[in-house]
Structure formats: C-alpha cells, structure tokens
C-alpha cells in the first residue's frame, strides 16, 4: 500500500481502470442491440460514469441528477 499525504491508497489506478474496462465489455455484450440510459448521481460518481461511458459501444444517453 502506498501513502500520499497521509492517505492510504487501497486500490491502484490500473486496477480500477481494468475493472471499468471489464464492466464495459460485459455491458457491451448484454446490451449490444439496445439503447442504454446511464443515470449518474453527481456526488462523486461523474468521473466513474464518464470513464465507463467511454468503453461502451451501444447507443447511450446520459442523464445527471
């Protein structure tokens, strides 16, 4: 575990990126022929939602609340 400014890193960036790509691949298979609405709660999830959206290949609409 790495510490930065007294904050302990639990999951490294590459592990998170890999998990997002795997999730995107799974969603692409499951919803390949469907239009998907992604709803994001704007309290920290926007970065995750946009990174996930980059991996998706089906028609996608994003909404934020």
């Amino acid at each position: 575990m790495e510490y930065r400014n007294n904050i302990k890193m639990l999951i490294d960036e590459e592990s998170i990126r890999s998990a997002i790509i795997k999730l995107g691949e799974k969603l692409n298979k499951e919803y390949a022929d469907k239009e998907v609405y992604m709803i994001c709660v704007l309290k920290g999830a926007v970065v995750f939602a946009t990174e996930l959206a980059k991996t998706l290949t089906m028609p996608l609409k994003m909404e934020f609340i």
Side-chain angles (χ1 to χ4, degrees), residues 5-64:
N5 299 326
N6 295 327
I7 297 174
K8 183 178 179 181
M9 182 185 305
L10 300 176
I11 305 170
D12 63 276
E13 182 179 349
E14 188 53 41
S15 296
I16 294 170
R17 186 178 321 277
S18 176
I20 290 172
I21 290 169
K22 280 184 184 178
L23 177 59
E25 290 170 351
K26 182 177 180 180
L27 293 172
N28 283 330
K29 289 177 186 171
E30 192 168 333
Y31 298 100
D33 57 347
K34 297 180 174 107
E35 182 177 35
V36 172
Y37 284 82
M38 179 183 284
I39 300 172
C40 175
V41 178
L42 289 177
K43 279 291 187 180
V46 69
V47 174
F48 168 76
T50 55
E51 289 301 312
L52 178 59
K54 289 178 192 178
T55 70
L56 302 177
T57 56
M58 78 286 289
L60 176 71
K61 291 185 179 180
M62 291 183 74
E63 296 292 336
F64 300 90

